[in-house]
Structure formats: structure tokens, C-alpha cells
Amino acid sequence: MSGTVRVLIVDDDPLVRGALSMILGGVPDLTVVGEAADGAEVPAAVAAHAPDVVLMDIRMPRVDGLAATEALRAAADPPEVLVLTTFDADEQVLRALRAGASGFLLKDTPPAEIVAAVRRVAAGEATLSPAVTRKLIAHVTAAPSPGPDPKRQRAVRLLAGLSEREREVALLLGRGRTNAEISAELFMSVATVKAYVSRLLTKLDLNNRVQVALLVQDADLA
């Protein structure tokens, strides 16, 4: 992504909003275009400010960040969403990722890492380290799902439409592998792995590699 990244900050705590505005406002290629104190204010704020990235708190009193993310990502040409949380792996974070958030930040993340995360999200990359991805995946697989599972049936159907090579890449994403690890395991270049990941996102109509990993877990294939 070229030019300045436009950021909207959504958090019910004015101190958090102020701190994030100070951090991001001091970076030449980022600009804070607006703030919102609740998820209910997000649609109007997005329409007014046209942000590239929304920093979205999860826990807010009226409309929480999960509902706001789901509504935002369902709209046409939505901005990227980076959720803010105090936990690094729980059902709320998973729901946000399934809804299309490109990743999450812990609220105690160092300023330089917050800036880097916003840049990555604006460039269309997920902001989860492989270690965090694996932790989230483990959280998914720990939950029992007795009886017929529509989510599993949908995941199996979607993955069945992939080529053999695409499926191999998807399965490794489901195990939390990095591009370099996939490259070594499948004997292909990192550039080729990136091309396959991009193709998977298009074919499966997903936002990022974390959603591919979660889809593989839903299918019980990892």
C-alpha cells in the first residue's frame, strides 16, 4: 500500500484512544482520521473518515467490537480491522478473526509493534505470529463438537474444491506453518508459497491466512 495509512481508533476508554492517537499520530506514513467510543458509532465514523484500518476494541458497553467487526466486514469495500484485546487467545478473538479481522493486538503491545502491525494490516497481511496462530488453533481444537456440525461440513466442502497442491498448502497453514516452513516442507520457493496463499484466499473468499487455518481446523484436517 502506498501513501498515508488512514486509521480510525475505536475504544470506550478515552485514555486508550489518546495514547493510540499519540503513538500513531507521530508516524509520518500513518494518520489518525477519527475516533469512536463504541461499536455503534463505527458505521458513521467509517463513512465520514474512510479509514484504511480500524483499531477495534473488543469490550465496549453498547455494541462490542465483535458485532461491529462483523457488520463492518460484511459491508462493501470495508477497511481492514485490527482488534484490541487484553487476552491473546479466547473465543472472542477467534470470533473476530472469523468475521474478517486481520489480526489482533494486545493492549500492552509496545508502540513500535503497534505501528508495524497497522502497516502490515494496511498492506493486506495478517498480524499474527506463527506462535500465536498455533495457540489460537489449539484453542479451536480443544472445543468439543458433538453431533453433525454444519461448520465442519461447510469447511470440508470448501476445501474439497482445492487442487492437491492448494490443499497441501492449506493443511500446513492449518498447522501454523510460516511461508518459509511451507517452502521447505513442500520444496517450493517462498514466492511460490505466497502465490498459493493468495490463490487460496481468493478461491475460499477469505481475508487472511489465519482464516484459512481456522477453516482447516473446522474440517478436522490439521
Side-chain angles (χ1 to χ4, degrees), residues 118-180:
V118 171
R119 286 175 176 150
R120 285 197 300 272
V121 166
E125 301 173 17
T127 64
L128 296 175
S129 70
V132 172
T133 301
R134 291 174 185 135
K135 189 171 182 181
L136 285 168
I137 287 169
H139 185 78
V140 175
T141 55
S145 54
D149 186 351
K151 189 184 295 181
R152 180 181 183 279
Q153 293 171 348
R154 173 182 175 275
V156 169
R157 175 175 52 79
L158 287 172
L159 293 171
L162 302 178
S163 70
E164 183 177 351
R165 202 58 159 169
E166 289 167 345
R167 187 181 174 88
E168 288 176 336
V169 173
L171 290 177
L172 291 176
L173 289 175
R175 293 167 190 153
R177 301 290 197 272
T178 65
N179 287 344

